[in-house]
Structure formats: structure tokens, C-alpha cells
């Protein structure tokens, strides 16, 4: 009776609307080559019956024994309002406002700011597979890197159409695959970004994660590459 009083037989933990992911990876090279690199990512999600708030913060840094070779910061914020499901054509639909901000000291564009609004819906949603599709419009601001031919470049400002597909697939009990494909189409410039990762749970809330981010930019400053690729090997912790 005393044990029942402390823990009732039908007791269940209250569901949490807040979840978070924190991951990091570190690489050190010594000997003939002395270099170090670090990347980190934090994702915060507050999901209620009517709203979903998401924030993702990323950091990439690399240096050799002489200088810093890479330094990039990404911030992604999205607020979604879930539409009334009393109407069948609005089932699993939502409207959103989004902001993407990048500071990249060594990229073809040192500052990238994009704000957009639009509509999205869950095309597939079950225990193993999720697919969300989004479409909207927005405004993008790009500041090109300084070059010898353009020591004082002018910022590129553009009205864009943004489309996105977010895919999640549970492969086995402890493994999953995620892939986000985003296209931003503007009159002056267009980009296509693939952010894909494979996650394997090690124990409890800890997981090993392999990720790759590929971004193609149609128009870049002279001497810059159109495609940027970042590959990461991280340890990830999830809590709620």
C-alpha cells in the first residue's frame, strides 16, 4: 500500500512540449600537419497544439598552425501556426514565418540574410516516415566577399520564391535518416541546399551522427566556387 501511494500503478510522465539537440565534433592533427577544426549545432523545438517554434544554431571553425582557415555561423528560426483541422483540405497544414542568417568569413558571400513566409503541410506522417513540403516567398540580402577586381562590392538584394522538402525516415529501432532540400529562386541569384544526416543511437539519449551539407549558388564572386560542402562527424545528445 505504501509503494502504491508513492507510485500509482497508472502513473505516466507528463508529455513535454520542449525538446533540444546538442551536438559537437572536434578534430586535431599533429606531426607533419598541425590543424584543428570544431563544429557545433544546437536545435531547440517548442511544439504545442497550435504553434511550433524552432531555432537552430550552427558553428564551423578550422585553423592550421598559421591562421584561421574557416569560420562560419548559421542561425535558422521558424515559427509555424497550425491551421484548423476541422477543414479536411487544411489537415496537417501550417503557415510559417522564417529567418535564415549566415556569417561566413571565408565564403563567397560573407553575410547572407533571408526572411520568408509561406505555407507548409505534412504529406506523410507516421511512426516511421515523415515528409513536410513548404512553399513561400521572401527577401534575401547577400554581401559578396572582397576580391581584387571588386574591393568594395555592392550587396545583392533579391525577392525570392522558397520551396523546401523535409524528410525523416526511421531505418531501424536505433537508426534514422534525415534530409532537407531547399531551393531559393530569385531574379538575380538562386541557390539549392541539401542538408542530410544519418544518426545511430549509442545508448539512451546519446547518438553518433554523420552529416553532409551541400550548397550550390548560381552566381558567385570572381574566383569563388559555386558549390560548398561541409561534412561532419559528431556526438549528439537529445533531451526533453
Amino acid at each position: 500500500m505504501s509503494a502504491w501511494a508513492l507510485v500509482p500503478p497508472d502513473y505516466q510522465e507528463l508529455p513535454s512540449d520542449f525538446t533540444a539537440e546538442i551536438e559537437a565534433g572536434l578534430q586535431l592533427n599533429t606531426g607533419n600537419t598541425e590543424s584543428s577544426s570544431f563544429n557545433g549545432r544546437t536545435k531547440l523545438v517548442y511544439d504545442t497544439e497550435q504553434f511550433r517554434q524552432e531555432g537552430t544554431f550552427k558553428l564551423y571553425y578550422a585553423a592550421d598552425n598559421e591562421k584561421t582557415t574557416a569560420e562560419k555561423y548559421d542561425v535558422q528560426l521558424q515559427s509555424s501556426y497550425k491551421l484548423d483541422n476541422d477543414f479536411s483540405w487544411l489537415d496537417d497544414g501550417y503557415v510559417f514565418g522564417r529567418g535564415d542568417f549566415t556569417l561566413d568569413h571565408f565564403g563567397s558571400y560573407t553575410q547572407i540574410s533571408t526572411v520568408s513566409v509561406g505555407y507548409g503541410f505534412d504529406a506523410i506522417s507516421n511512426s516511421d516516415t515523415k515528409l513536410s513540403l513548404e512553399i513561400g516567398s521572401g527577401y534575401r540580402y547577400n554581401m559578396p566577399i572582397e576580391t581584387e577586381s571588386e574591393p568594395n562590392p555592392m550587396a545583392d538584394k533579391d525577392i525570392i520564391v522558397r520551396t523546401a522538402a523535409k524528410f525523416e525516415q526511421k531505418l531501424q529501432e536505433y537508426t534514422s535518416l534525415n534530409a532537407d532540400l531547399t531551393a531559393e529562386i530569385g531574379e538575380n541569384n538562386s541557390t539549392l541546399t541539401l542538408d542530410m544526416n544519418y544518426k545511430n543511437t549509442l545508448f539512451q539519449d546519446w547518438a553518433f551522427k554523420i552529416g553532409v551539407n551541400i550548397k550550390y549558388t548560381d552566381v558567385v564572386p570572381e574566383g569563388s566556387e559555386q558549390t560548398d560542402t561541409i561534412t561532419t562527424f559528431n556526438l549528439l545528445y537529445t533531451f526533453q
Side-chain angles (χ1 to χ4, degrees), residues 63-236:
D64 57 24
N65 55 353
E66 296 182 355
K67 62 183 183 301
T68 300
T69 58
E71 187 176 357
K72 181 180 179 181
Y73 307 89
D74 282 338
V75 178
Q76 300 167 350
L77 305 172
Q78 181 164 329
S79 178
S80 303
Y81 175 77
K82 301 174 185 179
L83 298 175
D84 190 351
N85 288 338
D86 290 338
F87 301 95
S88 60
W89 61 278
L90 291 178
D91 281 355
D92 300 320
Y94 56 92
V95 292
F96 67 87
R98 182 180 177 88
D100 295 81
F101 310 97
T102 298
L103 180 63
D104 189 351
H105 293 297
F106 297 89
S108 56
Y109 290 94
T110 58
Q111 297 179 43
I112 304 174
S113 300
T114 305
V115 291
S116 59
V117 295
Y119 170 77
F121 67 97
D122 296 330
I124 303 174
S125 182
N126 56 53
S127 59
D128 293 331
T129 306
K130 293 183 180 180
L131 174 63
S132 299
L133 303 177
E134 295 179 351
I135 185 169
S137 60
Y139 172 82
R140 182 177 58 213
Y141 171 95
N142 288 348
M143 176 57 72
I145 193 172
E146 296 180 2
T147 62
E148 292 184 0
S149 58
E150 290 288 343
N152 297 302
M154 297 291 293
D156 177 21
K157 305 173 183 179
D158 214 355
I159 301 297
I160 63 166
V161 174
R162 177 183 176 275
T163 61
K166 303 178 181 180
F167 177 73
E168 300 179 22
Q169 178 65 52
K170 185 177 181 180
L171 302 176
Q172 295 178 350
E173 183 178 0
Y174 299 108
T175 59
S176 62
L177 177 69
N178 297 335
D180 294 350
L181 182 64
T182 304
E184 295 180 359
I185 302 172
E187 181 179 358
N188 301 324
N189 205 350
S190 298
T191 64
L192 182 66
T193 304
L194 174 63
D195 193 359
M196 184 168 57
N197 64 77
Y198 169 82
K199 183 170 64 175
N200 183 26
T201 301
L202 301 176
F203 52 91
Q204 294 183 345
D205 299 324
W206 292 92
F208 176 69
K209 180 179 173 183
I210 301 175
V212 59
N213 181 282
I214 304 173
K215 182 175 181 179
Y216 172 83
T217 304
D218 187 34
V219 180
V220 295
E222 181 181 354
S224 300
E225 298 289 337
Q226 290 180 300
T227 303
D228 290 317
T229 302
I230 300 175
T231 304
T232 56
F233 302 87
N234 290 350
L235 189 63
L236 179 144

Side-chain angles (χ1 to χ4, degrees), residues 29-36 61-69:
N29 297 326
T30 60
N32 293 321
T33 301
E34 295 187 6
S35 65
S36 62
Y61 175 83
D64 57 24
N65 55 353
E66 296 182 355
K67 62 183 183 301
T68 300
T69 58

